[in-house]
């Protein structure tokens, strides 16, 4: 369900993206990939107008319960991926930047216990947590989620994304670094 966003010129000629301007702008969805056994990947084209919030939601489960998945960016330009109760990690600052289209991605491989963050096909960070908690508890899940926002903006500090989002992709497997690079090369403007 699209809430408040507007279609605008996208990254490709003749294609549109969604403009996120207000705290309530979001895409609300329920994503059931259960069971997530081997891993998953989320990739999305973003063009932030600004990077000035302490936390900005890219693609987040609505809640913060065991297994919920969160993909966010921060005011220093870093991006963070996390599965509540399992692991989280963050890129170095200046990984993302305003006013430019970029493909950001997080890939979680639950079998090797490795998670990776990418921008424009380049690996930014790797989490090799040998203590990463794996099945049965918590079980990674998206459930009710939002793109470009997190939760009710009247209940806490708004984490809304400000800018354009185009082509959000969710894969039910962990894409490799070469697959992420190929995805970027084949879909860049």
């Amino acid at each position: 369900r699209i809430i408040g966003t507007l279609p605008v010129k996208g990254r490709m000629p003749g294609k549109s993206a969604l403009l996120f301007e207000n705290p309530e702008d979001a895409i609300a969805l329920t994503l059931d990939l259960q069971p997530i056994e081997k891993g998953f990947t989320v990739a999305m084209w973003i063009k932030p107008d600004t990077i000035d919030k302490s936390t900005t939601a890219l693609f987040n489960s609505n809640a913060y319960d065991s297994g919920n998945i969160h993909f966010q960016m921060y005011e220093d330009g870093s991006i963070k991926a996390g599965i509540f109760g399992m692991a989280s990690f963050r890129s170095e600052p200046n990984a993302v930047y305003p006013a430019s289209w970029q493909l950001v991605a997080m890939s979680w491989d639950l079998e090797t216990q490795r998670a990776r963050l990418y921008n424009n096909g380049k690996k930014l960070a790797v989490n090799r947590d040998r203590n990463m908690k794996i099945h049965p508890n918590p079980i990674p899940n998206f459930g009710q989620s939002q793109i470009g926002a997190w939760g009710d903006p009247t209940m806490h500090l708004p984490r809304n994304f400000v800018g354009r989002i185009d082509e959000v992709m969710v894969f039910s497997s962990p894409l490799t670094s070469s697959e992420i690079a190929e995805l970027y090369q084949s879909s860049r403007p």
Side-chain angles (χ1 to χ4, degrees), residues 71 79 89-96 103-109 112 114-128 175-182 184-185:
F71 190 27
I79 55 177
F89 67 109
R90 193 167 168 171
S91 73
E92 294 292 323
N94 303 311
V96 295
L103 178 70
V104 294
M106 66 172 173
S107 181
W108 290 81
D109 186 327
T112 65
R114 288 187 181 165
R116 297 174 177 89
L117 291 169
Y118 298 87
N119 189 0
N120 291 340
K122 294 186 174 106
K123 193 180 334 174
L124 300 173
V126 177
N127 177 25
R128 290 189 179 109
L175 297 185
T176 65
S177 293
S178 59
E179 289 170 323
I180 295 282
E182 183 180 324
Y184 169 69
Q185 289 299 328

Side-chain angles (χ1 to χ4, degrees), residues 132-143:
M132 187 184 289
K133 296 174 189 153
I134 301 298
H135 305 288
N137 188 22
I139 297 171
N141 65 84
F142 288 94

Side-chain angles (χ1 to χ4, degrees), residues 6-26:
L6 299 172
V8 293
K9 181 182 175 189
R11 73 183 197 287
M12 302 295 254
K15 302 289 184 177
S16 62
L18 290 176
L19 177 62
F20 294 74
E21 295 181 297
N22 302 302
E24 61 276 0
D25 291 353

Side-chain angles (χ1 to χ4, degrees), residues 83-88 108 110 129 131-135 138-140:
I83 301 174
F84 187 71
M86 185 180 280
S88 68
W108 290 81
L110 301 176
D129 188 352
N131 297 314
M132 187 184 289
K133 296 174 189 153
I134 301 298
H135 305 288
I139 297 171

Side-chain angles (χ1 to χ4, degrees), residues 8-81:
V8 293
K9 181 182 175 189
R11 73 183 197 287
M12 302 295 254
K15 302 289 184 177
S16 62
L18 290 176
L19 177 62
F20 294 74
E21 295 181 297
N22 302 302
E24 61 276 0
D25 291 353
I27 298 171
L29 65 148
T30 299
L31 191 57
D32 186 10
L33 296 178
Q34 293 296 341
I36 297 176
E37 295 178 356
K38 294 184 179 187
F40 64 91
T41 302
V42 173
M44 58 197 303
W45 282 96
I46 64 170
K47 184 179 183 183
D49 287 347
T50 182
I51 300 176
D52 62 355
K53 291 186 181 82
S54 60
T55 306
T56 299
L58 296 173
F59 193 131
N60 287 339
S61 298
N62 276 358
Y64 204 58
D65 296 325
S66 182
N68 284 162
I69 297 165
H70 294 266
F71 190 27
Q72 306 171 133
M73 67 180 189
Y74 291 85
E75 63 191 341
D76 65 359
S78 64
I79 55 177
K80 181 179 179 180

